[in-house]
């Protein structure tokens, strides 16, 4: 970012449209830089063909500039005015922007991950429940979200990496009542890392354990992580195939041959959903089952149908997860 930008001046003049536009431009560039820096971590999101880093950056910062009502100011101004310690210098203002925008990007990416993988979403909701119940905090550190104890406001030293986290004893994840406390105790007393739990890594670990033969112990009072992924995916797939038949095949919108290709593509998607989410663009799923399918033909003829059927599958899985309070 250029050194000639007067951030404090911009924040003091946000009743002027030109100042707002300039601040939007700056926040967009910061959000885009954050996405590019963390591209490998977020790359799965961009497999969905309609998403680009630019569009995600715009979506991430938009809530900062949307008024809730005519009486209220811009959310980013509220954040600026309530920031502690108070912002007094250009460096303070730049630090504030980087922190607030990184948080917005992380929130938006988390939302997109939840949309992609309903099982991830369910476990993330469960972990968030435990965080709130236990009085823990979530903080950002170098573009990642971590759970920390309430006595910490920031991470001050090296955190546990993915490889080390994956090697933690499975017994730590067995009892939901002691889940977070047990992991904190292990990291703090048996490793040299700062006592912080990587949020997404924890969710993925719990999801993998749920899908394996190892199951987390049940407790009547605890929010549950357990679910039968095979059964839920089957229900979602059945719902999508039924919609395919009723809305497209029987009405002559797709031939029987085309419908069979869609069924096979949906089956492939269902398997990937069970294993962690969609892993390819939608075109690639259908292209496996329609010979010489051109991308422009797919976009014009099939994309909206396949996207809708995938949505039906995911929504059915979400509904079943909610109904059973799994």
């Amino acid at each position: 970012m250029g050194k000639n930008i007067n951030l404090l001046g911009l924040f003091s003049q946000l009743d002027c449209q030109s100042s707002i536009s300039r601040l939007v431009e700056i926040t967009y560039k910061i959000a885009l830089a954050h996405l590019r820096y963390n591209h490998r971590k977020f790359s799965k999101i961009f497999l969905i063909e309609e998403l680009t880093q630019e569009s995600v950056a715009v979506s991430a910062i938009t809530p900062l500039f949307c008024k809730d009502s005519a009486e209220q100011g811009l959310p980013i101004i509220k954040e600026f005015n309530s920031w502690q310690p108070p912002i007094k210098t250009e460096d303070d203002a730049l630090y504030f922007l980087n922190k607030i925008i990184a948080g917005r990007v992380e929130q938006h990416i988390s939302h997109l991950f939840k949309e992609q993988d309903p099982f991830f979403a369910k476990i993330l909701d469960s972990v968030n429940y435990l965080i709130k119940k236990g009085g823990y905090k979530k903080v950002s550190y170098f573009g990642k979200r971590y759970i920390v104890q309430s006595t910490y406001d920031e991470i001050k030293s090296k955190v546990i990496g993915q490889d080390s986290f994956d090697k933690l004893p499975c017994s730590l994840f067995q009892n939901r009542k002691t889940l977070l406390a047990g992991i904190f105790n292990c990291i703090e007393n048996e490793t040299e890392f700062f006592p912080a739990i990587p949020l997404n890594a924890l969710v993925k670990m719990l999801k993998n354990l749920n899908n394996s033969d190892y199951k987390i112990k049940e407790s009547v009072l605890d929010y549950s992580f357990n679910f039968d992924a095979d059964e839920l995916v089957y229900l979602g797939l059945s719902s999508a195939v039924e919609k395919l038949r009723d809305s497209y095949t029987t009405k002559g919108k797709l031939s029987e041959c085309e419908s069979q290709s869609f069924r096979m593509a949906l089956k492939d998607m269902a398997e990937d959903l069970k294993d962690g989410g969609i892993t390819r663009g939608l075109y690639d799923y259908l292209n496996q089952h329609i010979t010489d399918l051109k991308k422009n033909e797919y976009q014009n003829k099939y994309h909206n149908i396949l996207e809708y059927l995938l949505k039906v599958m995911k929504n059915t899985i979400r509904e079943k997860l909610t109904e059973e309070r799994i």
Side-chain angles (χ1 to χ4, degrees):
M1 186 179 297
K3 294 184 178 181
N4 59 338
I5 296 175
N6 182 356
L7 292 176
L8 291 176
L10 281 178
F11 276 103
S12 67
Q13 299 172 5
L14 288 185
D15 54 346
C16 169
Q17 186 57 48
S18 61
S19 294
I20 294 175
S21 298
R22 183 66 177 125
L23 188 58
V24 168
E25 179 186 353
I26 293 169
T27 56
Y28 166 76
K29 288 180 178 179
I30 294 174
L32 190 58
H34 184 78
L35 285 166
R36 287 173 175 167
Y37 180 79
N38 293 282
H39 177 72
R40 289 185 64 185
K41 185 176 69 163
F42 300 150
S43 59
K44 184 177 176 182
I45 291 297
F46 301 106
L47 290 171
I48 301 175
E49 296 167 12
E50 291 75 18
L51 287 180
T52 63
Q53 290 180 344
E54 290 77 11
S55 67
V56 171
V58 169
S59 297
I61 67 169
T62 295
L64 295 173
F65 296 93
C66 292
K67 294 182 180 180
D68 293 331
S69 69
E71 290 74 33
Q72 296 178 329
L74 296 177
I76 195 168
I77 291 297
K78 293 181 184 178
E79 296 282 358
F80 181 87
N81 291 333
S82 62
W83 190 259
Q84 293 297 326
I87 299 167
K88 297 180 179 180
T89 68
E90 285 295 306
D91 285 343
D92 291 343
L94 183 58
Y95 176 79
F96 159 77
L97 273 185
N98 277 290
K99 291 287 285 185
I100 206 76
I101 294 167
R104 277 297 316 145
V105 170
E106 289 289 331
Q107 278 185 285
H108 189 62
I109 289 292
S110 180
H111 168 74
L112 293 175
F113 272 125
K114 289 173 71 174
E115 287 295 307
Q116 274 201 345
D117 185 353
F119 300 116
F120 181 95
K122 180 62 181 178
I123 295 178
L124 179 59
D125 287 344
S126 300
V127 171
N128 282 331
Y129 170 83
L130 292 182
I131 293 170
K132 183 177 180 180
K133 183 180 178 182
Y136 300 108
K137 296 179 180 178
K138 287 185 288 186
V139 299
S140 291
Y141 184 70
F142 286 99
K144 294 184 179 181
R145 297 288 280 174
Y146 290 85
I147 308 166
V148 297
Q149 294 163 334
S150 59
T151 51
Y152 295 109
D153 292 320
E154 60 182 354
I155 293 173
K156 300 179 179 179
S157 59
K158 186 177 180 181
V159 294
I160 191 168
Q162 184 71 54
D163 290 342
S164 297
F165 188 80
D166 289 343
K167 293 176 183 176
L168 293 178
C170 286
S171 58
L172 290 175
F173 305 90
Q174 188 173 9
N175 191 321
R176 288 185 300 274
K177 281 188 174 181
T178 60
L179 176 69
L180 298 180
I183 298 173
F184 276 126
N185 182 66
C186 179
I187 293 176
E188 190 166 18
N189 296 312
E190 299 182 29
T191 76
E192 297 180 352
F193 300 113
F194 186 88
I197 303 172
L199 179 59
N200 282 351
L202 173 60
V203 173
K204 290 175 183 176
M205 172 71 80
L206 293 170
K207 182 174 182 290
N208 290 338
L209 290 174
N210 183 87
N211 288 342
S212 71
D213 292 334
Y214 179 92
K215 293 291 183 179
I216 303 167
K217 285 184 179 178
E218 290 292 340
S219 172
V220 175
L221 297 178
D222 279 332
Y223 217 56
S224 176
F225 297 120
N226 292 337
F227 48 77
D228 188 332
D230 288 333
E231 179 181 354
L232 290 168
V233 166
Y234 172 77
L235 291 172
L237 176 60
S238 298
S239 180
V241 169
E242 181 180 354
K243 180 63 70 174
L244 169 66
R245 182 193 66 217
D246 294 345
S247 297
Y248 298 98
T249 310
T250 59
K251 293 182 178 180
K253 296 179 181 179
L254 291 174
S255 68
E256 184 54 48
C257 182
E258 289 172 319
S259 296
Q260 176 62 17
S261 297
F262 268 78
R263 283 192 289 271
M264 296 301 293
L266 288 168
K267 184 177 179 181
D268 292 343
M269 291 179 188
E271 286 299 315
D272 284 345
L273 276 176
K274 185 173 64 176
D275 293 335
I278 299 303
T279 60
R280 294 170 275 164
L282 300 189
Y283 164 77
D284 294 318
Y285 282 98
L286 195 58
N287 187 42
Q288 295 292 314
H289 304 289
I290 296 182
T291 305
D292 297 327
L293 177 63
K294 300 294 188 294
K295 219 165 189 183
N296 60 344
E297 180 187 4
Y298 163 78
Q299 286 290 344
N300 294 331
K301 191 175 180 181
Y302 299 128
H303 173 74
N304 289 342
I305 299 174
L306 190 57
E307 184 179 53
Y308 172 66
L309 293 173
L310 175 60
K311 185 176 181 180
V312 169
M313 188 190 308
K314 288 182 179 179
N315 285 344
T316 299
I317 294 171
R318 290 191 189 96
E319 288 167 7
K320 296 301 179 183
L321 282 167
T322 302
E323 284 174 10
E324 300 177 24
R325 296 188 62 82
I326 296 173

